[in-house]
């Protein structure tokens, strides 16, 4: 059973940066498709960045050019580097994973129902 634990959230001013980390245990990272989601302000959970085992990345338009997803397989950790943060980035951020063997169209499209494993989240607040 894969286990995901997020860290690195906090409060920053607009224009600042944060790096989120997701510690992954219980599986071989190469077997999984990994992603970051966020949910805030009464909105639905939104997929913002994903990475596959070959390092191919996908980003939502809302974060493209500002956020970078990466993995350190030796450390079994997924990262999200967030630069030029805006107040609208305020949300709870979640790490998610889905096995490569069971990924679906929803997984590729970064939809929540395409992922079977979730962390508990870390909160990011951006002040103006």
């Amino acid at each position: 059973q894969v286990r995901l634990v997020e860290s690195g959230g906090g409060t920053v001013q607009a224009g600042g940066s944060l790096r989120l980390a997701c510690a992954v245990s219980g599986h071989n990272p190469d077997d999984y498709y990994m992603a970051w989601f966020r949910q805030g302000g009464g909105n639905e959970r939104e997929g913002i960045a994903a990475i596959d085992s070959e390092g191919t990345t996908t980003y939502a338009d809302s974060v493209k050019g500002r956020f970078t997803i990466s993995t350190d397989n030796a450390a079994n950790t997924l990262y999200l580097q967030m630069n030029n943060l805006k107040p609208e980035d305020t949300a709870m951020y979640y790490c998610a994973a889905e096995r490569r063997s069971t990924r679906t169209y929803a997984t590729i499209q970064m939809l929540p129902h395409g992922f079977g494993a979730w962390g508990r989240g870390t909160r990011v607040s951006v002040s103006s």
Side-chain angles (χ1 to χ4, degrees):
Q1 181 81 14
V2 63
R3 183 167 179 258
L4 308 174
V5 180
E6 302 93 337
S7 62
T11 300
V12 295
Q13 290 189 328
S17 298
L18 281 174
R19 188 175 79 157
L20 305 184
C22 173
V24 184
S25 60
H27 78 91
N28 181 346
D30 286 343
D31 292 337
Y32 279 78
Y33 193 85
M34 306 293 298
W36 286 98
F37 285 74
R38 68 183 181 187
Q39 187 171 17
N43 298 323
E44 293 185 351
R45 193 166 295 191
E46 170 194 22
I48 57 172
I51 187 167
D52 68 16
S53 59
E54 297 177 351
T56 301
T57 56
T58 304
Y59 296 96
D61 288 343
S62 57
V63 305
K64 196 172 295 183
R66 299 188 298 123
F67 291 10
T68 303
I69 187 171
S70 63
T71 58
D72 181 343
N73 286 346
N76 281 0
T77 304
L78 176 73
Y79 296 103
L80 185 68
Q81 178 66 43
M82 306 187 295
N83 297 329
N84 190 22
L85 282 160
K86 304 176 181 180
E88 51 264 42
D89 295 319
T90 295
M92 184 71 82
Y93 284 70
Y94 299 90
C95 174
E98 178 63 28
R99 287 184 180 275
R100 291 179 63 196
S101 59
T102 55
R103 69 181 181 183
T104 64
Y105 176 80
T107 309
I108 304 301
Q109 294 298 311
M110 292 192 295
L111 298 176
H113 64 276
F115 291 82
W118 293 86
R120 292 188 175 184
T122 185
R123 183 165 296 280
V124 173
S125 296
V126 184
S127 59
S128 57

